[in-house]
């Protein structure tokens, strides 16, 4: 494990400035907004800000205020943030992002978890927070062989947390692919994972058939909604899981990542308020995109979809994630199953319907998410304390 400092060569930034200035814009049908995909007027405005006002060096300095490291895990260089908790007994927690996310998603929530007392919470709820960049994303190395699925990543995270950082017992949290990785950690390593907190359950179909009870009406409606979503919004998902290299050119990255992030988070480009920047700042959006750009992660990150199609996790009869699990359900999310669906595959101990927020919950609603994480793991800590007292 070695310390890591983000320091992007100036020629990479100069090259991007030229590309942004020389962008050739497509046409669009006037007045269609987000109906056909990316709203061209918004994208032009965003790129102009990116080109003339956005300051990567300032964002780089802010990122470097956190403790960054790299380690060789499973033969691959993995970047991660490791922030120690400020409290009497910080609990270790690994947080996994998804696509098109990055460690940038977690910048608001990290201090709320490591230092809850400074954010209106109890220091007894503090965490040692570990936020890795997934293989092929950001500042982690790119896989050079097939098979970098969520199952494999979960194994790498277990190695990092136990052998690398010395945590015999820890928690896992995530949404998007990070939710599946967290579930996989709990399923494969129950001896090490004390609990799993999810802000999205996706891509892990419950077994349906004898001896399981038939689907409830709420579950049937969830299946119908999921089918409608894939029909209306799932084009990116299909191409990334079948032909990801098609999207891998540098010329594609910046136009592809941003609208997909917007689609996932803001009801596919639309909210009641109408503007994605009501939930994050332009600098946060662009810094997340920049992590992909400077790391040249366009192709390597979307290959993650292909690998999970090949290694598709399906529960067998009688299988569940048996460690305690919590689900925080945000209303503007792409996947909102009923509790009974989740309980088919997870030992759900806490179920929270959030009043607001969407796909990138750690950025959009860090206070709500951090409080739910703290409340869930408070019960895990209490259980651990009571076991220690009995022993």
């Amino acid at each position: 494990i070695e310390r890591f400092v983000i320091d992007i060569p100036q020629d990479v930034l100069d090259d991007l400035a030229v590309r942004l200035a020389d962008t050739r814009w497509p046409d669009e049908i006037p007045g269609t907004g987000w109906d056909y995909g990316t709203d061209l007027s918004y994208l032009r405005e965003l790129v102009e800000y990116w080109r003339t006002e956005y300051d990567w060096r300032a964002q780089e300095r802010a990122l470097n205020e956190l403790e960054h490291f790299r380690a060789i895990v499973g033969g691959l260089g993995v970047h991660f943030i490791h922030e120690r908790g400020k409290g009497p007994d910080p609990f270790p927690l690994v947080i996994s992002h998804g696509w098109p996310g990055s460690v940038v998603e977690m910048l608001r929530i990290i201090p709320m978890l490591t230092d809850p007392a400074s954010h209106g919470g109890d220091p007894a709820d503090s965490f040692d927070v570990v936020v890795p960049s997934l293989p092929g994303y950001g500042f982690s190395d790119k896989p050079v062989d097939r098979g970098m699925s969520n199952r494999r990543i979960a194994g790498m995270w277990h190695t990092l947390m136990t052998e690398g950082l010395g945590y015999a017992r820890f928690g896992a949290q995530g949404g998007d692919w990070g939710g599946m990785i967290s579930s996989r950690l709990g399923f494969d390593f129950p001896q090490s994972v004390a609990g799993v907190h999810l802000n999205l359950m996706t891509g892990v179909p419950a077994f349906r058939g004898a001896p399981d009870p038939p689907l409830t009406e709420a579950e049937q409606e969830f299946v119908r909604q999921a089918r409608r979503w894939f029909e209306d919004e799932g084009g990116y998902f299909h191409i990334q899981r079948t032909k990801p290299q098609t999207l891998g050119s540098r010329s594609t990255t910046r136009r592809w990542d941003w609208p997909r992030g917007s689609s996932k988070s803001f009801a596919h480009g639309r909210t009641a308020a109408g503007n994605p920047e009501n939930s994050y700042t332009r600098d946060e959006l662009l810094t997340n995109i920049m992590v992909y750009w400077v790391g040249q992660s366009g192709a390597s990150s979307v290959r993650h979809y292909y690998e999970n199609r090949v290694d598709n996790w399906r529960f067998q009869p009688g299988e569940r994630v048996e460690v305690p699990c919590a689900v925080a359900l945000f209303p503007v999310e792409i996947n909102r199953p009923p509790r009974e669906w989740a309980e088919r595959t997870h030992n759900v101990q806490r179920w929270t319907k959030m009043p607001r927020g969407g796909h990138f919950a750690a950025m959009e609603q860090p206070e709500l998410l951090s409080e739910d994480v703290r409340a869930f793991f408070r019960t895990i800590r209490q259980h651990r304390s009571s076991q220690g007292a009995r022993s």
Side-chain angles (χ1 to χ4, degrees):
I1 295 178
E2 297 180 346
R3 289 193 174 273
F4 176 72
V5 176
I6 303 169
D7 184 15
I8 303 306
Q10 186 59 42
D11 62 350
V12 173
L13 306 182
D14 293 341
D15 172 75
L16 175 59
V18 172
R19 292 170 183 266
L20 292 174
D22 291 345
T23 300
R24 295 183 66 188
W25 297 102
D27 72 308
E28 71 172 358
I29 298 175
T32 54
W34 291 84
D35 291 350
Y36 286 79
T38 310
D39 184 325
L40 183 59
S41 63
Y42 181 82
L43 188 63
R44 291 184 72 130
E45 183 181 329
L46 182 70
V47 169
E48 181 63 15
Y49 177 85
W50 192 359
R51 188 179 70 84
T52 60
E53 298 184 51
Y54 175 78
D55 185 350
W56 164 256
R57 293 301 186 198
Q59 300 301 316
E60 191 177 65
R61 288 191 295 272
L63 283 166
N64 282 327
E65 290 178 3
L66 299 173
E67 298 289 329
H68 294 260
F69 300 87
R70 273 175 55 94
I72 303 300
V73 186
L76 201 71
V78 172
H79 159 258
F80 61 98
I81 295 170
H82 187 197
E83 286 289 311
R84 301 282 186 172
K86 299 178 180 178
D89 187 19
F91 191 78
L93 180 69
V94 58
I95 304 178
S96 302
H97 65 81
W99 187 95
S102 70
V103 297
V104 173
E105 282 183 64
M106 313 307 168
L107 297 184
R108 292 191 191 186
I109 199 172
I110 289 173
M112 298 179 184
L113 296 174
T114 58
D115 187 13
S118 294
H119 298 84
D122 186 341
D125 289 332
S126 68
F127 295 87
D128 284 352
V129 175
V130 179
V131 186
S133 295
L134 301 189
Y137 291 71
F139 306 112
S140 286
D141 288 354
K142 301 172 181 61
V144 295
D145 58 356
R146 293 173 178 263
M148 190 55 72
S149 64
N150 292 328
R151 184 202 309 263
R152 186 167 163 189
I153 295 171
M156 293 171 67
W157 280 193
H158 179 258
T159 299
L160 174 64
M161 294 296 286
T162 57
E163 298 178 26
L165 299 176
Y167 295 121
R169 196 99 168 123
F170 60 92
Q173 200 285 326
D176 197 82
W177 288 130
M180 293 189 67
I181 293 165
S182 299
S183 290
R184 192 81 220 193
L185 273 164
F187 184 80
D188 286 344
F189 306 103
Q191 74 282 4
S192 301
V193 177
V196 172
H197 186 284
L198 307 172
N199 56 280
L200 177 64
M201 295 191 65
T202 182
V204 187
F207 172 73
R208 300 196 299 275
D212 284 351
L215 295 184
T216 65
E217 178 55 39
E219 289 177 299
Q220 293 178 47
E221 177 57 26
F222 166 65
V223 172
R224 289 190 290 268
Q225 289 176 352
R227 288 173 178 164
R228 287 195 296 268
W229 184 87
F230 274 103
E231 175 66 24
D232 295 341
E233 301 291 343
Y236 81 96
F237 190 92
H238 185 69
I239 193 170
Q240 289 178 192
R241 69 198 295 265
T242 56
K243 295 293 185 286
Q245 203 64 31
T246 303
L247 301 174
S249 69
R250 283 161 59 104
S251 62
T252 305
T253 301
R254 68 176 182 268
R255 187 170 174 83
W256 188 256
D257 276 5
W258 152 244
R260 294 280 52 79
S262 177
S263 170
K264 281 185 172 182
S265 190
F266 300 102
H268 328 311
R270 311 170 196 56
T271 65
N275 191 326
E277 292 171 24
N278 290 316
S279 291
Y280 352 109
T281 68
R282 285 186 178 182
D283 282 352
E284 287 174 315
L285 291 167
L286 291 173
T287 300
N288 186 67
I289 294 173
M290 283 290 289
V291 168
Y292 282 80
W293 182 265
V294 300
Q296 293 185 258
S297 305
S300 55
S301 65
V302 296
R303 282 198 296 267
H304 191 184
Y305 284 72
Y306 182 97
E307 304 299 358
N308 285 304
R309 178 175 67 89
V310 174
D311 185 13
N312 187 18
W313 184 19
R314 289 183 179 272
F315 285 91
Q316 299 304 307
E319 289 184 341
R320 276 203 328 168
V321 179
E322 294 293 353
V323 303
C325 299
V327 179
L329 210 61
F330 288 84
V332 188
E333 181 55 281
I334 62 176
N335 193 17
R336 299 180 297 278
R339 181 167 182 163
E340 58 265 34
W341 175 276
E343 288 176 337
R344 292 176 184 269
T345 54
H346 290 69
N347 176 17
V348 178
Q349 299 294 307
R350 182 180 175 88
W351 184 266
T352 308
K353 290 186 177 181
M354 294 295 182
R356 57 191 177 277
H359 188 74
F360 297 101
M363 288 178 71
E364 297 178 55
Q365 299 296 334
E367 293 86 0
L368 291 177
L369 182 60
S370 62
E371 175 50 39
D372 203 67
V373 170
R374 294 196 298 256
F376 170 62
F377 281 101
R378 192 177 302 137
T379 64
I380 303 296
R381 296 173 200 252
Q382 291 167 352
H383 179 68
R384 183 180 62 168
S385 298
S386 64
Q387 285 184 322
R390 285 196 298 269
S391 64

